């Protein structure tokens, strides 16, 4: 029969104990109890909460079904084998659940059944009694042994009814029973030398079990005196673990007889247990009682030893005494630490008080030697909490940071209060689980990346790097470029990034002349949930390459050739033109050097390598054929690595007079226009009346424009001696420009002396097509102080400054000086003649534009031949995309 008893109480949130009772010798599978049901647990959640038993509490006799919580007998339980004579036989089982942690202590009491009868050490007990023994003399008999306990243990003794002896049953201090034979009738050996009786030992079980032995009493002749001990009971205290040979007590018994009848010998009484005989011994002659075995307080704290003394005389009657040996506990057992559960890892975000492990401590010693104090060694963010009796939990006692300490070795010290104290330690490893609490950090906040222009699209240019102190997915960093615009276009059309390693790639070829630098933001994002991120700035700096050859912008040429006039009377050092070039590059790549490459075999000319001024080195001989111009090939070279260069062909014509040459050119142009007109009339007749009307309208329009041009020139001459073509001041960005050849310019005597004359000059060609949309002002001013005539290239005209022409027309004033001040009229107007003794010098000074993209002779002049009524050919409009030349300056027109 199984008895179930449940005791429940709550201590610090831990269920204390369940108690069950089961009888010994039950078969395998016998039901003990349902722990889950008795605790009110949800059976369906036992597996998920890791319902289990503590390893140190598992018993080979019991089995717990972890699926349904049923406790049953695994194998037969022999109470006498497990607990021996202890009145209480308990088996302990410790179970716990996780999430949340709950601990339960299960106590199973093994109930004794009457499965063992009392037994005597020997089946035949011999007792010798002198016939002279007095009535009432007691003779202890050898005790029977019953391993059962409680009511099933030995209860009493009985013997065959007789007239000589009675049986007196005594109880020892430990509860054991023994019988003494009491003489009630005087013995007479001569009448009956032997007495035989049956001695029966009975227990209190149901059904009752008995054990018997044959008691044989031999009647001896008398010995009048018996030995006598000093005292009937001796009490001795002995420390446990006393070594063998240690004196327990020196017994002394005296006999008043003489000779052998007075010589006393000592021995253990027959009813001492075998264990007592193993631990103690007594010297038969001296009565010295010593320790011969291991004295262990944890086994028994007291022993009762019965010693008898008997003389050597005939019919000796033994005397008896009892020695009580109290075992003193020594601190010979260190505390034992047993962990029931340990968490594999604790989150670094776990709040203080989170349970990490559960353990128990035990000490087999008693009193202060068994009192235990526990603590955690070292500076760790954990502390101990007493849960139930000798059970402790390790809980967190602060904030955990995996990035600082990824794991802890927690060492528990258990120390008793003995003297000297004993201690033991046990360590567990606690891993700190990562949470995403650290954002990625870039190695630097700003990355400056230098990329040489003309790079290959898709090429690697640099890399950004960010580190995350977290672990696993929380530390997996991906890189992303944040959306922004660069020159109106998405940054994703300029650069890309490898999201895994942060490598940056250029998606297009960069041009320093268009884009010098740009910036964007890179985000580093981890793989946590939620993800954390940080940003860094990447500055892309485009490094200039020498990829632009110098572009010659002055003098303007046509079809790659510029024509310049040189008076035959020019003195050495005479400046007849200046070569101006620009380079879109910067630094050394844009520093230019000018030189004459070919055509200066006679060394008639020299060029300033820094300014590009072309001067005469010596006078021109009078024998030089004026119809054979000098052809000078000039070269402009930059200082890049490798250097780039451009060349230009300048035809230098020798003229006797500059004004005459201008008139000649004007007449030649007029004749050319008349010829063109005749051809046009022939075509009109051939095409018919419709074409005739169209061409007639075109002629009328051309004549009207020519008249407006003359009127404008005349009005410019009348204001402050400066003339400027109206097209210079026009605000129209795509207006066509009329070409004015040098033959259309004549010098006339002016009424204002001194005065400055502004002459519109339009070169016949251009070295680069990129200057078709830029205008320049030219001024020719004559004064009496100088015998030279200077021609100056000025800064580009601004229409907005047309109101300021009274003070500074076209942005600057350059004057020349002559003996008489001439006026200038073009297209058939009267001009004054040049002083024959005057030395004329043409000076060309040009404001150099900063940004010009194409080089000299890269493109031929784009022109459109159109009849203007005077034979002048107009230079056609040529539109150029300013964005293709890298943020060029505003359009300028040449005046």
């Amino acid at each position: 029969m199984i008895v179930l008893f449940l005791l429940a109480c709550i201590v610090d949130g831990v269920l204390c104990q369940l108690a069950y009772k089961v009888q010994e010798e039950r078969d395998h599978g016998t039901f003990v109890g349902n722990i889950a049901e008795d605790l009110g647990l949800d059976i369906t959640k036992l597996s998920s909460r890791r319902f289990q038993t503590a390893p140190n509490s598992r018993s080979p006799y019991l089995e717990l079904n972890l699926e349904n919580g049923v406790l049953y007998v695994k194998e037969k339980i022999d109470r006498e084998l497990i607990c021996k004579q202890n009145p209480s036989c308990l088996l302990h089982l410790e179970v716990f659940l996780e999430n949340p942690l709950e601990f339960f202590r299960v106590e199973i009491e093994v109930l004794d059944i009457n499965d063992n009868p009392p037994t005597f050490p020997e089946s035949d007990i011999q007792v010798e009694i002198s016939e002279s023994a007095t009535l009432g003399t007691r003779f202890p008999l050898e005790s029977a042994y019953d391993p059962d306990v409680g009511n099933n243990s030995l209860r009493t003794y009985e013997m065959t009814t007789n007239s000589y002896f009675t049986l007196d049953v005594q109880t020892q201090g430990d509860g054991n029973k023994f019988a003494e034979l009491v003489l009630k009738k005087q013995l007479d050996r001569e009448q009956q030398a032997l007495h035989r009786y049956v001695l029966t030992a009975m227990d209190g079980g149901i059904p009752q079990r008995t054990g018997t032995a044959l008691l044989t009493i031999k009647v001896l002749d008398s010995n009048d005196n018996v030995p006598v001990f000093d005292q009937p009971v001796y009490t001795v205290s002995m420390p446990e673990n006393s070594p063998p040979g240690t004196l327990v007590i020196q017994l002394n018994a005296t006999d008043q007889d003489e000779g052998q009848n007075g010589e006393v010998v000592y021995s253990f009484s027959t009813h001492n247990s075998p264990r007592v005989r193993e631990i103690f011994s007594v010297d038969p002659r001296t009565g010295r009682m010593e320790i011969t075995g291991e004295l262990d307080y944890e086994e028994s704290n007291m022993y009762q030893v019965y010693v008898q003394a008997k003389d050597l005389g005939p019919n000796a009657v033994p005397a008896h005494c009892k020695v009580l040996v109290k075992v003193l506990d020594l601190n010979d057992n260190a505390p034992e630490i047993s962990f029931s559960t340990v968490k594999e890892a604790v989150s670094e975000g776990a709040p203080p008080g989170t349970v990490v492990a559960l353990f128990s401590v035990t000490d087999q010693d008693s009193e202060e030697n068994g009192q235990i104090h526990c603590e955690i060694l070292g500076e760790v963010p954990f502390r101990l909490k007493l849960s139930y009796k000798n059970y402790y939990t390790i809980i967190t006692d602060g904030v955990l940071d995996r990035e600082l300490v990824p794991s802890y070795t927690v060492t528990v010290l258990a120390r008793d209060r003995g003297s000297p104290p004993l201690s033991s330690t046990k360590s567990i490893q606690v891993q700190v689980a990562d949470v995403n609490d650290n954002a990625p950090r870039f190695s630097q906040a700003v990355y400056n990346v230098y990329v040489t222009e003309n790079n290959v699209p898709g090429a690697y240019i640099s890399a950004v790097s960010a580190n995350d102190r977290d672990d696993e997915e929380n530390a997996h960093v991906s890189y992303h470029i944040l959306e922004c615009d660069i020159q109106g276009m998405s940054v994703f059309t300029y650069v890309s990034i490898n999201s895994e390693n942060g490598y940056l790639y250029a998606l297009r070829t960069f041009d320093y002349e268009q884009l010098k630098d740009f910036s964007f933001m890179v985000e580093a994002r981890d793989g946590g949930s939620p993800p954390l991120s940080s940003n860094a700035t990447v500055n892309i700096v485009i490094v200039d390459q020498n990829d632009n050859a110098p572009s010659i912008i002055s003098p303007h040429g046509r079809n790659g050739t510029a024509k310049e006039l040189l008076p035959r009377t020019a003195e050495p050092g005479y400046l007849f033109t200046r070569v101006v070039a620009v380079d879109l590059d910067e630094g050394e790549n844009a520093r230019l050097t000018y030189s004459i490459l070919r055509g200066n075999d006679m060394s008639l000319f020299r060029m300033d390598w820094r300014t590009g001024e072309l001067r005469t080195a010596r006078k021109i001989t009078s024998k030089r054929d004026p119809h054979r111009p000098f052809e000078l090939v000039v070269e402009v070279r930059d200082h890049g690595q490798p250097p780039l260069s451009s060349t230009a062909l300048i035809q230098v014509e020798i003229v006797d007079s500059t004004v005459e040459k201008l008139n000649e050119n004007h007449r030649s142009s007029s004749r050319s226009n008349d010829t063109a007109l005749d051809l046009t009339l022939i075509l009109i007749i051939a095409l018919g009346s419709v074409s005739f009307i169209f061409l007639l309208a075109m002629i009328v329009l051309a004549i009207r424009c020519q008249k407006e041009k003359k009127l404008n020139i005349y009005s410019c001459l009348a204001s402050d001696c400066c003339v400027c073509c109206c097209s210079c001041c026009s605000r129209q960005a795509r207006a066509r420009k009329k070409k004015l050849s040098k033959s259309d310019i004549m010098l006339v005597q002016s009424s204002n002396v001194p005065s400055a004359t502004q002459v519109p000059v339009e070169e016949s060609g251009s070295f680069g097509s990129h200057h078709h949309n830029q205008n320049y002002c030219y001024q020719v001013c004559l004064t009496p102080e100088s015998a030279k005539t200077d021609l100056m290239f000025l800064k580009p005209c601004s229409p907005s400054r047309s109101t300021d022409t009274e003070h500074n027309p076209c942005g600057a004033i350059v004057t020349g000086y002559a003996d008489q001040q001439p006026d200038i009229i073009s297209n058939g107007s009267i001009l004054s003649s040049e002083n024959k003794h005057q030395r004329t010098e043409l000076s060309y000074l040009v404001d150099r534009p900063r940004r010009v993209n194409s080089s000299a002779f890269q493109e031929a002049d784009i022109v459109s031949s159109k009849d203007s009524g005077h034979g002048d050919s107009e230079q056609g409009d040529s539109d150029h995309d300013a964005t293709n030349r890298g943020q060029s300056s505003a359009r300028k027109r040449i005046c």
Side-chain angles (χ1 to χ4, degrees):
M1 178 179 182
I2 300 174
V3 180
L4 170 65
F5 175 72
L6 175 64
L7 173 64
C9 64
I10 301 295
V11 177
D12 291 336
V14 179
L15 190 60
C16 295
Q17 146 176 325
L18 286 173
Y20 296 99
K21 294 182 180 181
V22 60
Q23 291 180 348
E24 64 173 332
E25 302 296 335
R26 288 295 176 180
D27 295 332
H28 171 75
T30 301
F31 177 83
V32 177
N34 192 323
I35 296 178
E37 181 179 338
D38 295 337
L39 293 176
L41 301 176
D42 188 351
I43 297 178
T44 60
K45 296 182 179 180
L46 292 181
S47 177
S48 62
R49 294 187 62 186
R50 297 185 64 186
F51 180 63
Q52 57 185 302
T53 60
N56 62 320
S57 68
R58 293 172 185 169
S59 171
Y61 303 103
L62 299 172
E63 184 72 19
L64 176 63
N65 189 321
L66 301 180
E67 299 295 329
N68 54 24
V70 174
L71 182 66
Y72 58 89
V73 176
K74 185 176 181 182
E75 63 179 52
K76 284 187 177 182
I77 304 174
D78 187 351
R79 184 191 180 284
E80 289 74 31
L81 180 63
I82 298 174
C83 302
K84 302 187 184 315
Q85 292 295 110
N86 289 333
S88 176
C89 184
L90 299 176
L91 297 178
H92 295 91
L93 189 67
E94 296 157 359
V95 297
F96 62 90
L97 298 95
E98 297 182 358
N99 303 319
L101 178 66
E102 290 183 289
F103 171 76
F104 305 97
R105 182 183 178 93
V106 181
E107 189 176 87
I108 301 95
E109 181 180 2
V110 180
L111 301 178
D112 184 46
I113 62 175
N114 194 21
D115 57 340
N116 294 286
T119 58
F120 287 94
E122 297 178 1
S123 60
D124 189 1
I125 301 175
Q126 300 286 337
V127 178
E128 293 180 350
I129 303 176
S130 174
E131 62 179 339
S132 60
T134 61
L135 298 178
T137 302
R138 294 175 176 270
F139 302 95
L141 299 179
E142 192 165 359
S143 298
Y145 174 72
D146 192 337
D148 295 325
V149 296
N151 293 331
N152 298 325
S153 63
L154 180 64
R155 284 299 181 188
T156 187
Y157 295 90
E158 291 182 357
M159 64 179 296
T160 306
T161 304
N162 62 87
S163 59
Y164 290 95
F165 300 96
T166 60
L167 207 60
D168 185 16
V169 179
Q170 299 287 331
T171 303
Q172 297 180 358
D174 56 0
N176 291 328
K177 306 286 186 177
F178 68 94
E180 290 182 339
L181 193 65
V182 180
L183 181 64
K184 67 178 183 178
K185 182 180 179 180
Q186 190 67 43
L187 296 175
D188 187 353
R189 189 187 67 82
E190 289 71 24
Q191 291 183 0
Q192 187 177 354
L194 291 175
H195 298 265
R196 288 185 175 89
Y197 307 104
V198 176
L199 183 62
T200 303
M202 297 176 291
D203 60 23
I206 300 176
Q208 189 180 58
R209 291 179 178 270
T210 62
T212 61
L214 178 60
L215 176 61
T216 301
I217 302 173
K218 183 179 179 181
V219 180
L220 303 175
D221 286 337
S222 65
N223 185 9
D224 296 341
N225 296 292
V226 297
V228 178
F229 284 98
D230 296 338
Q231 56 190 64
V233 178
Y234 297 90
T235 302
V236 180
S237 296
M238 296 295 295
E240 66 173 333
N241 299 330
S242 296
T246 302
L247 175 65
V248 177
I249 190 172
Q250 179 67 54
L251 297 175
N252 183 39
T254 60
D255 193 328
Q256 295 180 1
D257 294 328
E258 292 183 353
Q260 289 187 344
N261 291 334
E263 187 176 347
V264 180
V265 292
Y266 302 89
S267 63
F268 287 132
S269 298
T270 55
H271 54 269
N272 283 314
S273 66
R275 181 59 179 163
V276 170
R277 296 176 184 273
E278 291 177 1
I279 298 176
F280 304 99
S281 67
V282 61
D283 191 288
R285 293 294 182 180
T286 64
R288 177 183 173 88
M289 185 175 173
E290 297 180 349
I291 295 175
T292 57
E294 181 180 358
L295 200 61
D296 189 354
Y297 176 88
E298 287 71 38
E299 180 181 348
S300 177
N301 60 356
M302 186 178 68
Y303 295 93
Q304 296 184 30
V305 182
Y306 294 90
V307 181
Q308 67 180 11
K310 185 172 64 173
D311 59 31
L312 296 178
N315 305 320
V317 178
H320 298 273
C321 74
K322 182 170 63 175
V323 179
L324 296 178
V325 180
K326 294 182 178 180
V327 181
L328 301 178
D329 183 34
L330 295 180
N331 192 23
D332 58 340
N333 293 283
E336 296 180 358
I337 303 173
S338 177
F339 278 90
S340 300
T341 178
V342 178
K343 282 190 175 181
E344 295 180 357
V346 181
S347 173
E348 63 176 325
T354 302
V355 177
V356 176
L358 173 69
F359 69 93
S360 62
V361 290
T362 57
D363 195 320
Q364 297 181 12
D365 296 323
S366 62
E367 298 180 354
E368 288 189 352
N369 295 332
Q371 296 179 7
I372 305 172
H373 169 72
C374 293
E375 62 180 299
I376 293 179
L377 300 180
E379 296 293 331
V380 292
F382 302 96
R383 64 182 177 89
L384 295 180
K385 180 181 179 182
L386 180 63
S387 294
Y388 171 70
K389 291 185 178 178
N390 58 337
Y391 277 84
Y392 293 84
T393 55
I394 300 176
I395 62 175
T396 57
D397 190 32
V399 178
L400 305 179
D401 190 345
R402 189 204 65 82
E403 289 71 37
L404 295 178
V405 183
S407 65
Y408 292 90
T409 300
V410 181
T411 302
V412 177
L413 170 67
R415 181 187 295 111
D416 60 29
R417 301 183 183 277
S419 180
L422 298 179
S423 63
S424 61
T425 60
K426 202 164 188 179
S427 300
I428 61 172
Q429 195 73 17
V430 179
Q431 301 292 332
V432 181
D434 184 48
V435 297
N436 192 25
D437 57 346
N438 289 279
R441 288 188 177 183
F442 283 94
S443 58
Q444 54 194 83
V446 178
Y447 292 84
N448 293 318
V449 180
Y450 295 89
V451 181
T452 305
E453 65 172 332
N454 302 321
N455 57 290
V456 179
Y460 167 85
I461 57 175
S462 185
V464 296
S465 176
N467 293 322
D468 196 314
R469 298 175 60 195
D470 294 322
D471 192 23
E472 296 180 351
E473 285 300 318
N474 295 332
H476 180 72
V477 179
S478 59
Y479 302 89
H480 310 276
I481 296 177
L482 299 183
E483 174 67 39
C484 66
D485 289 340
I486 300 173
Q487 292 186 344
M489 299 183 67
S490 173
V491 68
F492 299 117
T493 63
Y494 285 81
V495 290
S496 67
I497 192 169
N498 188 315
S499 61
E500 295 297 326
N501 52 32
Y503 286 3
L504 291 169
Y505 300 91
L507 297 182
R508 61 169 60 188
T509 300
F510 297 128
D511 189 352
Y512 177 82
E513 288 70 38
Q514 292 184 4
L515 182 64
K516 290 183 174 57
D517 57 69
F518 62 92
S519 300
F520 57 90
M521 300 286 288
V522 174
E523 178 189 64
R525 185 186 308 129
D526 59 29
S529 179
L532 301 178
S533 62
S534 62
N535 299 334
T537 301
V538 179
N539 296 324
I540 303 295
V541 180
I542 312 301
V543 179
D544 184 35
Q545 269 190 334
N546 191 26
D547 58 341
N548 292 282
S551 176
I552 300 176
I553 62 174
S554 178
H556 296 284
R558 184 180 180 84
N559 297 327
T561 303
K563 295 182 179 181
E564 295 294 338
L565 303 180
L566 178 62
R568 188 181 297 275
T569 60
E571 296 291 333
Y574 178 79
L575 173 64
F576 61 90
T577 189
R578 178 185 177 187
V579 178
V580 179
V582 294
D583 195 316
L584 294 179
D585 297 321
E586 287 192 355
E588 287 296 307
N589 295 333
R591 188 163 66 89
L592 305 179
T593 300
Y594 301 85
S595 63
I596 300 175
L597 191 61
R598 293 190 304 273
N600 193 22
D601 300 335
M602 302 177 64
S603 301
L604 292 177
F605 307 98
R606 60 182 175 87
M607 174 172 270
D608 191 309
W609 64 275
R610 289 169 298 182
T611 63
E613 293 180 348
L614 198 56
R615 298 176 181 269
T616 56
R618 53 192 178 86
K619 292 189 65 175
I620 307 301
T621 61
S622 57
K623 297 179 180 181
R624 178 68 182 184
D625 186 0
H627 300 290
R628 289 178 55 201
F630 292 98
E631 293 186 350
L632 300 180
V633 178
V634 296
E635 179 188 53
V636 182
R637 180 182 298 271
D638 60 27
H639 287 73
Q641 292 297 328
L644 300 178
S645 63
S646 297
T647 58
L649 177 61
I650 300 177
Q651 291 183 351
V652 182
E653 296 183 6
I654 306 301
V655 296
D656 294 330
S657 172
T658 305
V659 176
E660 291 178 359
K661 184 62 178 180
L662 292 174
N663 291 333
E664 180 182 350
N665 291 339
H666 175 69
R667 289 191 297 273
S668 174
S669 177
S670 298
R671 286 195 299 270
S672 176
N673 291 337
D674 292 339
T675 303
L677 184 59
D678 293 340
L679 293 176
T680 304
L681 292 175
I682 295 173
L683 292 175
I684 293 174
I685 296 173
L687 295 175
S689 59
V690 177
S691 300
F692 174 77
I693 295 173
F694 176 78
L695 291 175
L696 183 60
M698 294 296 295
I699 293 172
V700 172
L701 181 60
I703 294 174
R704 182 175 298 175
C705 290
Q706 186 66 24
K707 289 180 179 181
E708 290 177 357
K709 177 178 179 182
K710 292 180 180 180
L711 291 176
N712 290 334
I713 294 175
Y714 183 77
S715 60
C716 287
L717 289 172
S719 61
D720 293 336
C721 300
C722 292
V723 289
C724 181
C725 64
C726 63
S727 60
C728 175
C729 302
S730 176
R731 292 180 178 269
Q732 299 179 1
R734 298 176 60 87
R736 295 183 176 274
K737 298 177 291 183
K738 296 293 183 175
K739 290 188 178 181
L740 181 62
S741 60
K742 295 180 180 179
S743 60
D744 294 336
I745 301 176
M746 294 179 293
L747 300 178
V748 297
Q749 185 68 36
S750 176
S751 59
N752 298 325
V753 179
S755 64
T757 302
Q758 186 173 22
V759 181
V761 179
E762 183 76 12
E763 293 296 343
S764 59
S766 176
F767 280 56
S769 61
H770 51 277
H771 276 284
H772 293 167
N773 60 352
Q774 292 186 355
N775 301 324
Y776 290 83
C777 289
Y778 301 83
Q779 291 181 346
V780 177
C781 298
L782 307 175
T783 60
E785 284 89 13
S786 174
K788 296 183 180 180
T789 301
D790 295 335
L791 181 61
M792 170 176 277
F793 287 70
L794 295 182
K795 294 182 178 179
C797 291
S798 174
S800 62
R801 297 187 59 182
S802 61
T803 59
D804 300 332
T805 54
E806 296 180 0
H807 305 287
N808 190 9
C810 300
I813 299 177
V814 178
T815 59
Y817 301 98
D819 294 338
Q820 293 182 347
Q821 177 64 43
D823 290 336
I824 301 176
I825 304 177
S826 63
N827 296 325
S829 300
I830 299 176
L831 301 175
S832 61
S833 59
E834 183 184 8
N835 192 335
K836 294 182 180 180
H837 301 289
Q838 171 185 327
R839 292 178 298 176
T840 304
E841 177 179 356
L842 300 176
S843 175
Y844 298 83
L845 300 176
V846 181
D847 179 74
R848 173 183 171 181
R850 294 183 59 190
R851 297 289 178 188
V852 182
N853 199 17
S854 60
S855 61
F857 302 117
Q858 187 174 356
E859 298 179 7
D861 288 343
I862 302 174
V863 298
S864 62
S865 299
K866 185 175 180 181
D867 191 356
S868 63
H870 296 278
D872 295 338
S873 61
E874 290 186 32
Q875 180 179 349
D877 291 345
S878 177
D879 296 334
H880 297 275
D881 188 359
T883 59
N884 293 336
R885 300 306 178 190
Q887 301 178 349
S888 63
S889 59
R891 293 183 176 179
K892 302 176 183 179
R893 298 187 178 277
I894 301 177
C895 298

